[in-house]
């Protein structure tokens, strides 16, 4: 009997389809202008979070402002795993994290991102330092990687007083934030070589020339040329009209001349996300440079669906994997 080709092609996870159908009536159309799009996108995030009952759990937080040479200051928010800040010298792991939003929207004040940081800090028993880097096009490359580098340096300098440990320091990010997290590991290797125990990249954008985007998971109703055009438009907002900047290693970490000496990586990708090509190529690049790397592809998932914990089983699994990996940081430096 011939094999059926039915399950050979990528198909949207039924749980993701149900989730998207549920939230679709809550989403107002976003205007084309950057500030208007940013405002409506945050309103949509607030509306969806309210409808789904997403409420940030009670953990201790504190905002600080970090100065950045030749660029705008960056606000950082520290999340502790408990209801009060960890005591000085407690030695907790620290994850310096960069939110995702295509370089143009989102931030640490979005309900969904704030809730995610709180949940991860509590479940992993770690400190999270989340950087609220500037949006494009008002600020362009290299402002964002320099802000993220400064946030990382601030976390390193203040680790002990935050109740953390410099020996248990990690960086992470999602989407555009994954690009920035990978850039920070390169900047660290090039500048200070601080000990970074781990990098965690979720559906990261790592080649802003769009040269590694993988369109095979996109439906016929969304031609690859449209996806590439949309991606290139976002890149132009971030780097401007100088295409050469998109090839700079701090803009496109995948295109760096060398990936030697970078921290061990956990990379999560989604089958129906064109950026899967970036994440999986980066995993190969790191492995070729003898960097320990684990890459996991989630079947039937889209670029944003792994953030839908509580509604998409794969998102819950991704959360457990991330938390489990982050919890291993507690064992660093112990005899």
């Amino acid at each position: 009997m011939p094999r059926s080709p039915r399950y050979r092609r990528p198909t949207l996870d039924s749980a993701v389809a149900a989730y998207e159908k549920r939230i679709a009536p809550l989403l107002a159309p976003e205007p084309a202008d950057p500030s208007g799009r940013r405002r409506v996108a945050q309103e949509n995030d607030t509306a969806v979070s309210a409808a789904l009952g997403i409420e940030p759990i009670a953990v201790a937080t504190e905002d600080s402002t970090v100065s950045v040479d030749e660029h705008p200051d960056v606000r950082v928010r520290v999340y502790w795993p408990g209801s009060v800040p960890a005591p000085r010298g407690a030695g907790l792991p620290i994850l310096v994290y960069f939110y995702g939003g295509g370089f143009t929207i989102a931030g640490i004040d979005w309900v969904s991102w704030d809730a995610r940081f709180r949940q991860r800090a509590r479940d992993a028993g770690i400190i999270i330092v989340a950087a609220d880097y500037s949006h494009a096009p008002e600020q362009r490359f290299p402002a964002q990687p320099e802000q993220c580098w400064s946030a990382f340096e601030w976390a390193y300098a203040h680790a002990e007083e935050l109740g953390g440990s410099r020996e248990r320091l990690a960086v992470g990010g999602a989407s555009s934030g994954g690009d920035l997290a990978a850039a920070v590991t390169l900047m660290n290797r090039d500048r200070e070589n601080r000990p970074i125990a781990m990098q965690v990249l979720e559906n990261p954008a790592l080649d802003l020339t769009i040269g590694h985007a993988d369109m095979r998971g996109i439906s016929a109703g969304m031609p690859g040329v449209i996806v590439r055009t949309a991606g290139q438009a976002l890149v132009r907002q971030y780097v401007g009209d100088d295409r050469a900047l998109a090839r700079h290693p701090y803009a496109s970490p995948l295109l760096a001349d060398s990936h030697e000496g970078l921290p061990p990586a956990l990379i999560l990708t989604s089958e129906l996300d064109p950026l899967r090509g970036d994440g999986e190529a980066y995993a190969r690049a790191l492995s070729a440079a003898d960097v320990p790397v684990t890459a996991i592809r989630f079947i039937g998932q889209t670029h944003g669906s792994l953030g839908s914990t509580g509604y998409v089983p794969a998102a819950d699994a991704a959360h457990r994997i991330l938390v489990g990996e982050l919890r291993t940081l507690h064992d660093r430096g112990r005899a």
Side-chain angles (χ1 to χ4, degrees), residues 231-309:
Q232 289 165 352
L234 282 176
V235 170
R236 280 196 300 274
Q237 290 191 62
Y238 178 48
V239 301
D241 294 327
D242 185 353
R243 293 187 178 184
L245 284 179
R247 301 191 63 85
H248 192 288
Y250 298 165
S252 294
L254 180 53
L255 304 184
D257 290 336
S258 170
H259 298 95
E260 294 181 358
L262 296 179
L266 172 64
I267 303 174
L268 304 186
T269 65
S270 295
E271 183 184 32
L272 303 181
D273 177 13
L275 292 181
R276 173 170 61 83
D278 286 36
E280 294 179 2
Y282 201 58
R284 297 184 187 100
L286 293 175
S287 179
D290 294 325
V291 175
V293 58
T294 298
I296 303 173
R297 181 196 298 186
F298 285 83
I299 300 301
Q301 301 304 304
T302 65
H303 183 65
S305 62
L306 293 184
S308 308
T309 51

Side-chain angles (χ1 to χ4, degrees), residues 33-47:
D33 67 287
S35 61
R37 177 172 177 260
R38 194 174 302 133
R39 174 182 54 80
V40 174
Q42 183 166 10
E43 291 172 353
N44 285 339
D45 178 74
T46 301

